[in-house]
Amino acid sequence: MNKKMNTDTKNINKNWKSFAIGLAVLCLAAAGLLLLYLNFRPDAVKGSKTVVLDVIYEDSSTETYTVQTEAEYLEQAISDMEGLTVGGSRTEQFGLMILNVNGVEADYNKNGAFWSIYLNDTPCNYGVSQQPIEDGQHYQIIYTTGDAS
C-alpha cells in the first residue's frame, strides 16, 4: 500500500510540474504576442486633419461626409461628422463593431450582411476604433453581403 501511495504522489508531483511548466510557457507566449502588438500597432497622428468618408449602401447609393478633426482614430472622426449616425456593439478588446449606419442595419447574424471599412479602396486591417487616420485620407463604409468576395 505504501508503494502505491508513493507512486501516486510521484505522479501527482509530475503532473503538477508539467502543468506549471505549461502555464509558464503559455504566459511567456502571451507576453511575447503583447510585445509584438505594442511594437507593430498603428501609430495615431496628432493634429488637425481632413478626412472624407463615403457610406455605400446595399443599393449602391452613396453619401459622402467630410470633417476637419483633431481625432486620431476613425471612430472619433466619424462621431465628428455632421449628419452621420453609426451604432453597433462594443467590446473592450476590439472597440465598436458597426451594425448600423444612418439607420440601415447590416448584422451578419440576422441578415448575412456587415459593414466593411476601406481606405482608398483597400480593406482596412483594423476596426473602426483602432484605425488611425491621417490628413487627406478617404474612407468608405460599405454594406457588404456574406457572399461577397
Side-chain angles (χ1 to χ4, degrees):
M1 181 84 160
N2 226 2
K3 283 185 179 182
K4 182 171 180 2
M5 286 179 58
N6 283 341
T7 303
D8 289 345
T9 302
K10 286 180 182 178
N11 285 337
I12 291 171
N13 287 338
K14 183 178 177 183
N15 289 340
W16 177 251
K17 287 179 185 176
S18 296
F19 174 76
I21 290 170
L23 185 60
V25 168
L26 181 63
C27 288
L28 286 173
L33 290 173
L34 178 62
L35 287 173
L36 281 173
Y37 173 75
L38 292 175
N39 284 326
F40 294 106
R41 70 180 169 184
D43 292 328
V45 176
K46 295 191 183 297
S48 182
K49 53 195 81 74
T50 300
V51 175
V52 176
L53 175 80
D54 294 329
V55 177
I56 302 173
Y57 298 97
E58 181 178 19
D59 65 0
S60 298
S61 63
T62 303
E63 293 179 327
T64 301
Y65 300 87
T66 303
V67 68
Q68 181 79 29
T69 184
E70 296 282 330
E72 296 178 10
Y73 295 94
L74 186 56
E75 181 182 7
Q76 295 166 319
I78 287 173
S79 69
D80 292 342
M81 293 179 176
E82 194 171 312
L84 176 61
T85 59
V86 173
S89 63
R90 181 178 302 280
T91 64
E92 187 175 325
Q93 183 177 10
F94 298 111
L96 177 66
M97 182 177 78
I98 298 173
L99 296 176
N100 60 66
V101 177
N102 290 338
V104 177
E105 182 179 55
D107 184 342
Y108 193 83
N109 294 321
K110 291 182 180 178
N111 59 7
F114 55 95
W115 291 102
S116 300
I117 305 169
Y118 284 73
L119 169 60
N120 300 325
D121 299 319
T122 303
C124 291
N125 292 325
Y126 303 98
V128 68
S129 301
Q130 299 169 338
Q131 179 64 47
I133 60 174
E134 295 179 16
D135 186 43
Q137 288 182 324
H138 190 141
Y139 286 91
Q140 298 167 314
I141 296 179
I142 303 172
Y143 185 98
T144 307
T145 57
D147 61 353
S149 52

mmCIF file of all heavy atoms in Angstrom, residues 25-48:
data_model
loop_
_atom_site.group_PDB
_atom_site.id
_atom_site.type_symbol
_atom_site.label_atom_id
_atom_site.label_comp_id
_atom_site.label_asym_id
_atom_site.label_seq_id
_atom_site.Cartn_x
_atom_site.Cartn_y
_atom_site.Cartn_z
ATOM 1 N N VAL A 25 5.106 28.565 -19.985
ATOM 2 C CA VAL A 25 5.314 28.715 -21.430
ATOM 3 C C VAL A 25 4.174 29.533 -22.040
ATOM 4 O O VAL A 25 4.404 30.420 -22.869
ATOM 5 C CB VAL A 25 5.449 27.334 -22.110
ATOM 6 C CG1 VAL A 25 5.374 27.443 -23.614
ATOM 7 C CG2 VAL A 25 6.744 26.661 -21.686
ATOM 8 N N LEU A 26 2.948 29.248 -21.639
ATOM 9 C CA LEU A 26 1.794 29.997 -22.133
ATOM 10 C C LEU A 26 1.900 31.474 -21.772
ATOM 11 O O LEU A 26 1.640 32.352 -22.607
ATOM 12 C CB LEU A 26 0.500 29.402 -21.571
ATOM 13 C CG LEU A 26 -0.799 30.057 -22.020
ATOM 14 C CD1 LEU A 26 -0.985 29.901 -23.514
ATOM 15 C CD2 LEU A 26 -1.969 29.451 -21.275
ATOM 16 N N CYS A 27 2.299 31.774 -20.536
ATOM 17 C CA CYS A 27 2.455 33.175 -20.109
ATOM 18 C C CYS A 27 3.541 33.879 -20.917
ATOM 19 O O CYS A 27 3.373 35.030 -21.321
ATOM 20 C CB CYS A 27 2.764 33.246 -18.614
ATOM 21 S SG CYS A 27 1.345 32.838 -17.577
ATOM 22 N N LEU A 28 4.640 33.202 -21.161
ATOM 23 C CA LEU A 28 5.719 33.794 -21.965
ATOM 24 C C LEU A 28 5.261 34.049 -23.398
ATOM 25 O O LEU A 28 5.582 35.091 -23.979
ATOM 26 C CB LEU A 28 6.950 32.889 -21.953
ATOM 27 C CG LEU A 28 7.756 32.872 -20.661
ATOM 28 C CD1 LEU A 28 8.840 31.802 -20.717
ATOM 29 C CD2 LEU A 28 8.373 34.243 -20.406
ATOM 30 N N ALA A 29 4.497 33.110 -23.968
ATOM 31 C CA ALA A 29 3.987 33.302 -25.325
ATOM 32 C C ALA A 29 3.033 34.496 -25.384
ATOM 33 O O ALA A 29 3.100 35.321 -26.296
ATOM 34 C CB ALA A 29 3.285 32.036 -25.805
ATOM 35 N N ALA A 30 2.151 34.622 -24.403
ATOM 36 C CA ALA A 30 1.213 35.747 -24.355
ATOM 37 C C ALA A 30 1.964 37.070 -24.213
ATOM 38 O O ALA A 30 1.633 38.060 -24.876
ATOM 39 C CB ALA A 30 0.222 35.562 -23.208
ATOM 40 N N ALA A 31 2.984 37.091 -23.375
ATOM 41 C CA ALA A 31 3.789 38.313 -23.202
ATOM 42 C C ALA A 31 4.499 38.661 -24.507
ATOM 43 O O ALA A 31 4.573 39.836 -24.889
ATOM 44 C CB ALA A 31 4.790 38.125 -22.072
ATOM 45 N N GLY A 32 4.988 37.663 -25.207
ATOM 46 C CA GLY A 32 5.647 37.900 -26.490
ATOM 47 C C GLY A 32 4.695 38.470 -27.524
ATOM 48 O O GLY A 32 5.034 39.403 -28.256
ATOM 49 N N LEU A 33 3.487 37.934 -27.591
ATOM 50 C CA LEU A 33 2.486 38.456 -28.521
ATOM 51 C C LEU A 33 2.098 39.891 -28.182
ATOM 52 O O LEU A 33 1.920 40.725 -29.073
ATOM 53 C CB LEU A 33 1.253 37.553 -28.532
ATOM 54 C CG LEU A 33 1.448 36.189 -29.179
ATOM 55 C CD1 LEU A 33 0.203 35.319 -28.978
ATOM 56 C CD2 LEU A 33 1.774 36.320 -30.649
ATOM 57 N N LEU A 34 1.976 40.191 -26.900
ATOM 58 C CA LEU A 34 1.662 41.553 -26.482
ATOM 59 C C LEU A 34 2.766 42.518 -26.903
ATOM 60 O O LEU A 34 2.503 43.607 -27.414
ATOM 61 C CB LEU A 34 1.445 41.617 -24.970
ATOM 62 C CG LEU A 34 1.151 43.003 -24.396
ATOM 63 C CD1 LEU A 34 -0.143 43.567 -24.973
ATOM 64 C CD2 LEU A 34 1.077 42.952 -22.885
ATOM 65 N N LEU A 35 4.003 42.122 -26.704
ATOM 66 C CA LEU A 35 5.130 42.966 -27.121
ATOM 67 C C LEU A 35 5.141 43.182 -28.631
ATOM 68 O O LEU A 35 5.409 44.292 -29.099
ATOM 69 C CB LEU A 35 6.456 42.363 -26.657
ATOM 70 C CG LEU A 35 6.740 42.464 -25.166
ATOM 71 C CD1 LEU A 35 8.011 41.686 -24.809
ATOM 72 C CD2 LEU A 35 6.875 43.915 -24.738
ATOM 73 N N LEU A 36 4.845 42.141 -29.397
ATOM 74 C CA LEU A 36 4.773 42.288 -30.850
ATOM 75 C C LEU A 36 3.694 43.293 -31.236
ATOM 76 O O LEU A 36 3.913 44.169 -32.077
ATOM 77 C CB LEU A 36 4.484 40.946 -31.515
ATOM 78 C CG LEU A 36 5.657 40.003 -31.656
ATOM 79 C CD1 LEU A 36 5.190 38.643 -32.183
ATOM 80 C CD2 LEU A 36 6.711 40.586 -32.575
ATOM 81 N N TYR A 37 2.516 43.166 -30.621
ATOM 82 C CA TYR A 37 1.441 44.099 -30.922
ATOM 83 C C TYR A 37 1.843 45.524 -30.582
ATOM 84 O O TYR A 37 1.637 46.448 -31.363
ATOM 85 C CB TYR A 37 0.158 43.723 -30.178
ATOM 86 C CG TYR A 37 -0.916 44.773 -30.336
ATOM 87 C CD1 TYR A 37 -1.610 44.899 -31.521
ATOM 88 C CD2 TYR A 37 -1.198 45.677 -29.310
ATOM 89 C CE1 TYR A 37 -2.570 45.880 -31.694
ATOM 90 C CE2 TYR A 37 -2.154 46.657 -29.464
ATOM 91 C CZ TYR A 37 -2.837 46.758 -30.667
ATOM 92 O OH TYR A 37 -3.776 47.746 -30.832
ATOM 93 N N LEU A 38 2.413 45.729 -29.411
ATOM 94 C CA LEU A 38 2.789 47.077 -28.983
ATOM 95 C C LEU A 38 3.839 47.682 -29.909
ATOM 96 O O LEU A 38 3.856 48.888 -30.137
ATOM 97 C CB LEU A 38 3.288 47.060 -27.539
ATOM 98 C CG LEU A 38 2.231 46.747 -26.478
ATOM 99 C CD1 LEU A 38 2.868 46.635 -25.098
ATOM 100 C CD2 LEU A 38 1.117 47.777 -26.480
ATOM 101 N N ASN A 39 4.725 46.862 -30.463
ATOM 102 C CA ASN A 39 5.759 47.366 -31.359
ATOM 103 C C ASN A 39 5.257 47.629 -32.770
ATOM 104 O O ASN A 39 5.800 48.487 -33.467
ATOM 105 C CB ASN A 39 6.951 46.402 -31.408
ATOM 106 C CG ASN A 39 7.802 46.499 -30.175
ATOM 107 O OD1 ASN A 39 7.951 47.562 -29.594
ATOM 108 N ND2 ASN A 39 8.359 45.384 -29.758
ATOM 109 N N PHE A 40 4.244 46.892 -33.216
ATOM 110 C CA PHE A 40 3.809 46.995 -34.604
ATOM 111 C C PHE A 40 2.412 47.566 -34.783
ATOM 112 O O PHE A 40 1.931 47.642 -35.906
ATOM 113 C CB PHE A 40 3.896 45.616 -35.277
ATOM 114 C CG PHE A 40 5.299 45.127 -35.408
ATOM 115 C CD1 PHE A 40 5.769 44.120 -34.583
ATOM 116 C CD2 PHE A 40 6.170 45.679 -36.321
ATOM 117 C CE1 PHE A 40 7.066 43.664 -34.679
ATOM 118 C CE2 PHE A 40 7.472 45.235 -36.430
ATOM 119 C CZ PHE A 40 7.926 44.226 -35.619
ATOM 120 N N ARG A 41 1.757 47.990 -33.712
ATOM 121 C CA ARG A 41 0.426 48.567 -33.852
ATOM 122 C C ARG A 41 0.526 49.889 -34.610
ATOM 123 O O ARG A 41 1.575 50.550 -34.633
ATOM 124 C CB ARG A 41 -0.228 48.775 -32.494
ATOM 125 C CG ARG A 41 0.412 49.865 -31.681
ATOM 126 C CD ARG A 41 -0.263 50.034 -30.347
ATOM 127 N NE ARG A 41 0.546 50.904 -29.525
ATOM 128 C CZ ARG A 41 0.282 51.185 -28.296
ATOM 129 N NH1 ARG A 41 -0.772 50.665 -27.722
ATOM 130 N NH2 ARG A 41 1.051 51.987 -27.610
ATOM 131 N N PRO A 42 -0.575 50.307 -35.227
ATOM 132 C CA PRO A 42 -0.537 51.553 -35.993
ATOM 133 C C PRO A 42 -0.412 52.756 -35.064
ATOM 134 O O PRO A 42 -0.992 52.784 -33.987
ATOM 135 C CB PRO A 42 -1.882 51.559 -36.711
ATOM 136 C CG PRO A 42 -2.766 50.715 -35.865
ATOM 137 C CD PRO A 42 -1.870 49.664 -35.256
ATOM 138 N N ASP A 43 0.370 53.735 -35.488
ATOM 139 C CA ASP A 43 0.537 54.951 -34.705
ATOM 140 C C ASP A 43 -0.526 55.969 -35.091
ATOM 141 O O ASP A 43 -0.815 56.175 -36.264
ATOM 142 C CB ASP A 43 1.922 55.562 -34.947
ATOM 143 C CG ASP A 43 3.035 54.701 -34.380
ATOM 144 O OD1 ASP A 43 2.809 54.034 -33.358
ATOM 145 O OD2 ASP A 43 4.133 54.688 -34.972
ATOM 146 N N ALA A 44 -1.083 56.599 -34.102
ATOM 147 C CA ALA A 44 -2.049 57.662 -34.336
ATOM 148 C C ALA A 44 -1.297 58.951 -34.653
ATOM 149 O O ALA A 44 -0.199 59.173 -34.162
ATOM 150 C CB ALA A 44 -2.920 57.848 -33.104
ATOM 151 N N VAL A 45 -1.911 59.778 -35.508
ATOM 152 C CA VAL A 45 -1.312 61.044 -35.893
ATOM 153 C C VAL A 45 -2.059 62.163 -35.168
ATOM 154 O O VAL A 45 -3.271 62.272 -35.260
ATOM 155 C CB VAL A 45 -1.403 61.246 -37.427
ATOM 156 C CG1 VAL A 45 -0.871 62.595 -37.822
ATOM 157 C CG2 VAL A 45 -0.672 60.121 -38.145
ATOM 158 N N LYS A 46 -1.323 62.973 -34.441
ATOM 159 C CA LYS A 46 -1.922 64.090 -33.717
ATOM 160 C C LYS A 46 -2.051 65.295 -34.642
ATOM 161 O O LYS A 46 -1.370 65.398 -35.644
ATOM 162 C CB LYS A 46 -1.073 64.436 -32.500
ATOM 163 C CG LYS A 46 -1.030 63.313 -31.469
ATOM 164 C CD LYS A 46 -0.406 63.788 -30.162
ATOM 165 C CE LYS A 46 -0.294 62.674 -29.156
ATOM 166 N NZ LYS A 46 -1.539 62.099 -28.719
ATOM 167 N N GLY A 47 -2.951 66.201 -34.277
ATOM 168 C CA GLY A 47 -3.111 67.437 -35.037
ATOM 169 C C GLY A 47 -4.362 67.435 -35.891
ATOM 170 O O GLY A 47 -5.086 66.454 -35.989
ATOM 171 N N SER A 48 -4.586 68.568 -36.520
ATOM 172 C CA SER A 48 -5.767 68.761 -37.344
ATOM 173 C C SER A 48 -5.619 68.029 -38.677
ATOM 174 O O SER A 48 -4.548 68.021 -39.272
ATOM 175 C CB SER A 48 -5.975 70.250 -37.592
ATOM 176 O OG SER A 48 -7.134 70.463 -38.340
#
